[in-house]
């Protein structure tokens, strides 16, 4: 049962423009959400997170938005840079789960010049 | 570099053979996680250690799989009697107790069962 879903397998965006990645979840018990970035031949790298008590968290060019009523979160990257080309995974966790993360299938982002 | 390391990076084995993978976490991290990732999917949780104690196991971890972390430092994941369906990337991650969700991943071990 896939409880975290990323419905867009790929996204192409021009350098300097905004990248918006979307993620939906079904389990209302999730209370912590994260985005990871993965380059080929490397493990995922933690990017940004948000607790369910917040609706926005910003870190430099990266902002995560959480809409609990819609069970939806999004990652905005502004401005997009060529080095942002990677696979982005959305992940979620429940407070009592000791850090067990449930991941979406990922979105491949390609930033074109 | 003091990141998470995994060995070997690639393993090709024949069906029915046993394989063992090693993970060395970041030294100050006392939580260690194993995940499995197949093509086109995100990582799936397998098991988790806090120090040497294995505290949670996924139902994905059949009785052919065993994981250990004997001294609370490195960990091993063994798969006995490998099957073709075991072919995947096996990822290890570690974290601090205070920030369990911010997990640092190793590069993974890619297993191919022929």
């Amino acid at each position: 049962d896939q409880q975290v879903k990323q419905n867009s397998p790929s996204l192409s965006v021009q350098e300097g423009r905004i990248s918006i990645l979307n993620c939906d979840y079904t389990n209302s018990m999730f209370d912590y959400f994260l985005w990871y970035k993965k380059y080929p031949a490397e493990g995922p790298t933690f990017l940004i997170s948000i607790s369910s008590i917040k609706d926005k968290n910003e870190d430099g060019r990266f902002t995560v938005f959480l809409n609990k009523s819609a069970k939806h979160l999004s990652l905005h990257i502004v401005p997009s840079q060529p080095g942002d080309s990677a696979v982005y995974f959305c992940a979620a966790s429940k407070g009592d789960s000791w850090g067990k993360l449930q991941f979406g299938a990922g979105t491949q982002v390609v930033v074109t010049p | 570099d003091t990141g998470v390391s995994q060995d070997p990076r690639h393993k090709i084995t024949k069906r029915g053979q046993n394989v063992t993978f090693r993970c060395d976490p970041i030294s100050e991290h006392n939580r260690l996680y194993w995940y499995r990732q197949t093509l086109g999917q995100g990582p799936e949780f397998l098991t988790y250690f806090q120090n040497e104690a294995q505290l949670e196991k996924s139902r994905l971890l059949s009785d052919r799989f065993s994981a250990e972390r004997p001294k609370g430092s490195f960990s091993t994941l063994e798969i006995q009697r490998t099957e073709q369906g075991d072919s995947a990337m096996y990822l290890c991650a570690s974290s601090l107790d205070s920030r369990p969700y911010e997990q640092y991943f190793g590069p993974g071990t890619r297993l191919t069962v022929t």
Side-chain angles (χ1 to χ4, degrees), chain A residues 10-43:
Chain A
S10 63
L11 172 70
S12 182
V13 64
Q14 209 165 13
E15 182 178 1
R17 306 294 290 266
I18 183 171
S19 295
I20 299 177
L21 290 80
N22 294 303
C23 177
D24 296 295
Y25 62 96
T26 57
N27 191 334
S28 58
M29 299 299 290
F30 287 143
D31 59 3
Y32 206 79
F33 304 89
L34 308 95
W35 285 93
Y36 278 80
K37 173 179 175 180
K38 185 181 183 305
Y39 292 119
E42 295 182 11

Side-chain angles (χ1 to χ4, degrees), chain A residues 50-80:
Chain A
I50 188 167
S51 164
S52 60
I53 62 173
K54 296 185 175 181
D55 55 19
K56 177 182 174 181
N57 188 27
E58 191 172 353
D59 184 2
R61 298 186 297 114
F62 303 92
T63 302
V64 56
F65 296 92
L66 175 62
N67 183 334
K68 281 179 24 181
S69 61
K71 294 190 179 69
H72 177 83
L73 65 156
S74 61
L75 174 68
H76 292 205
I77 306 173
V78 185
S80 300

